Amino acid sequence: MTADPKSAVASRTVYVVDDDPAMRHSLAWLIGALGVSVESFGSGEEFLRAVRPDRPGCLVTDVRMPGMSGLELQDTLARAGSLLAVVVITGHGDVPMAARAFRGGAVDFIEKPFNDQLLLDRIHEALEASMRAWTVHARKTEVRSLLARLTPRERQVADLVVAGKLNKVIAAEINLSPKTVELHRHNVMEKLEVGSVADLTRLLIEAE
């Protein structure tokens, strides 16, 4: 499966959330050196109104802001199943705050004033991680769509085939004739677009 070109472009977008206009401008200028698109927001609420959480990309967020904090924004995105990789920056960090950010899946927790190259390196890592996550998510969505084509009986036969059972054993187990099992098996392979039991097994594993 190939990634959607539009989402591949989105994966090169960095979203900056900071209530300080000067810091937002400085970060946008610095991050632009990576050759990526940069979008800036003055608050977590503004960001959430404008950006779909299922898009790949990188979020660079300050921690302490009026209203929603950066860590609250990170938690909100996690609950929404966001594919954005997060880099947290702060001028007032402490160990519990850093621990919470990392437990939430942050790529890094960087204290101001920060080393520019360190931040750029972490953003690059975040973009790569987000694109990998999106690729896995897209594949799972595709596989589940394929599996939805199966009837309940076909799915039952598919699971038994993957379990290594022969047609005659499957037939006896679910009260069907071997010929009917063979027909179901043929339909499973055709609907799921696979050519072997090994491919079928791989597909069902991916669905999990």
Side-chain angles (χ1 to χ4, degrees):
M1 183 201 72
T2 57
D4 175 6
K6 291 183 180 178
S7 291
V9 171
S11 74
R12 302 296 296 173
T13 299
V14 178
Y15 304 97
V16 174
V17 179
D18 197 304
D19 63 309
D20 182 345
M23 178 57 72
R24 287 200 305 274
H25 177 78
S26 175
L27 285 169
W29 179 84
L30 173 65
I31 297 167
L34 288 174
V36 299
S37 172
V38 183
E39 297 181 26
S40 301
F41 303 90
S43 69
E45 293 87 349
E46 181 187 351
F47 168 81
L48 290 172
R49 286 193 297 269
V51 178
R52 284 172 43 189
D54 61 342
R55 303 293 296 277
C58 172
L59 168 65
V60 178
T61 181
D62 192 15
V63 172
R64 297 192 177 181
M65 297 180 288
M68 179 180 287
S69 73
L71 296 181
E72 289 170 339
L73 173 58
Q74 182 187 18
D75 290 343
T76 299
L77 289 171
R79 287 193 297 272
S82 173
L83 297 175
L84 292 170
V86 180
V87 175
V88 178
I89 57 174
T90 181
H92 310 281
D94 55 36
V95 173
M97 195 180 291
R100 178 178 168 183
F102 284 121
R103 280 198 303 270
V107 173
D108 207 346
F109 183 91
I110 302 175
E111 294 189 61
K112 302 174 185 175
F114 47 76
N115 176 282
D116 290 354
Q117 190 57 53
L118 171 65
L119 178 62
L120 292 177
D121 288 346
R122 292 299 179 268
I123 290 172
H124 177 74
E125 291 172 17
L127 289 169
E128 294 297 317
S130 179
M131 193 60 205
R132 287 194 299 271
W134 179 83
T135 300
V136 170
H137 173 77
R139 176 57 180 165
K140 283 188 176 181
T141 300
E142 180 185 41
V143 168
R144 286 168 184 164
S145 176
L146 287 172
L147 289 174
R149 299 176 181 178
L150 301 182
T151 66
R153 180 65 87 184
E154 288 167 349
R155 179 59 196 263
Q156 184 181 26
V157 169
D159 289 336
L160 292 170
V161 168
V162 166
K165 298 186 177 182
L166 300 174
N167 288 353
K168 62 181 181 181
V169 175
I170 296 173
E173 190 167 318
I174 61 178
N175 251 350
L176 294 176
S177 70
K179 185 171 287 189
T180 302
V181 170
E182 180 60 37
L183 177 61
H184 284 316
R185 182 169 178 158
H186 171 78
N187 289 341
V188 165
M189 305 299 270
E190 191 171 73
K191 288 181 179 181
L192 299 185
E193 302 172 12
V194 294
S196 68
V197 173
D199 290 339
L200 175 61
T201 303
R202 192 176 303 113
L203 194 74
L204 295 186
I205 290 172
E206 286 177 343
E208 297 171 1

